[in-house]
Amino acid sequence: MSKNILYTKPSITKKEESYALEAIKNGWGEQFDYHIKLFEKKFLEFTKSKYSVATSSCTGALHLGLAALGLTKNDEVIIADINWIASVAPIIYLGATPIFVDIQEDTWCIDPDSVERAITEKTKAIIAVHLYGNLCNMDMLLSIGKKYNIPIIEDAAEAIGSHWGNKHAGTLGLFGVFSFHGSKTMTTGEGGMLITNNFKLYQNVITLNNHGRKSPSNKFFWPEVIGFKYKISNIQAAIGCAQLERISDLIKKKREIFFYYKNKLDKTTKITTNIEISNTVNSFWMPTIIFCKSTNINKESALAFLERHGISARPFFYPLSKLPIFNIQICNTIAYSISPRGINLPSYHDITKNQQDKVLDTIFKLIDS
Ligand SMILES: *Cc1c(COP(=O)(O)O)cnc(C)c1O
């Protein structure tokens, strides 16, 4: 057992254990997809969407969705510079090019004005990633999408529970994807989900995820295109069913953890935190702090300081355009300014107030030193 305060771990109870065990015992033969179908149905009920496909990862779900859209060589996809590589890699798998644009100062999500400036004849899609639970400005993005006839895709991996107005994140664009990796608000170990209200896209996705076999089909072992296989297992889906039955509590807990930090951090002007813009709900997957420039604190030194005090935190994402693998020279001013000063704080569901106080004390020690 590590004595460090971990930055993340899932909340697993007897419910998850018993559902997984039930799937191990019964989820075979005629029941081979029973838990998967149930998981997909429960997810639709929770997000109020029409069609869902459970996958082995969010990366896979995004790959399937982009492939179903027909993304191919010479196409461009606009995405925020501040992101995890998983949101971008599927663009490259399909031979297309990511166009990295700047973020907004307050939400840290994609900046709609920068999106509009980056549109070319090659733009095939815009990916809105809801960072750390914070929401992209969906009204502006959807109106840009409409104006130029370009689909908006939502990567809501970090935003289960977040709402734009009364709509769940991931239900506003052409399709939305989610992750159930062990670090996320709900988990299946590894896993993902694609949701959409578009029947044609849905059909494309299920064909592609079935190695290119159309369903229903009267011919066995007869692929019509080269597809993929990003299927989830019954056992993982059963864990997902248990987590979905507890999802309101899991999200509530994330919000409580965030506000406990925020109420105390509001005492200083040297730090800014996640924003909850009006008419939205932020599910605060990761309580995140940005040190003001005047503090001269960078994320590496902050993480080392916390580590010395037994606290594991994480660095704010790097601008992807900085990675040598992309070999591009751009400077998205806001992304490059915020990224070096940001860290994610520990926020697993079972964290205690004492542990949160320790994190807060350590941060105050750091900014006052
Ligand atoms: C975690 C994450 C992913 C990747 O999810 P996997 O299930 O690990 O493939 C993709 N996008 C975002 C925004 C994420 O946070």
Side-chain angles (χ1 to χ4, degrees), residues 56-60 83-84 86-87 129-131 155-158 178-181 183-184 190-192 285 317:
S56 52
S57 70
C58 177
T59 311
N83 264 310
W84 174 229
S87 305
V129 185
H130 304 298
L131 207 74
D155 182 341
E158 304 177 4
F178 294 83
S179 171
F180 311 123
H181 176 257
S183 63
K184 300 292 156 67
E190 296 278 359
W285 171 56
F317 291 127

Side-chain angles (χ1 to χ4, degrees), residues 3 7 124 136 156 202 209 222 249 286-287 298 367:
K3 53 185 186 353
Y7 105 108
K124 191 76 183 256
C136 300
Y202 169 69
N209 198 25
W222 197 258
D249 282 346
M286 284 274 139
N298 65 42
I367 57 176

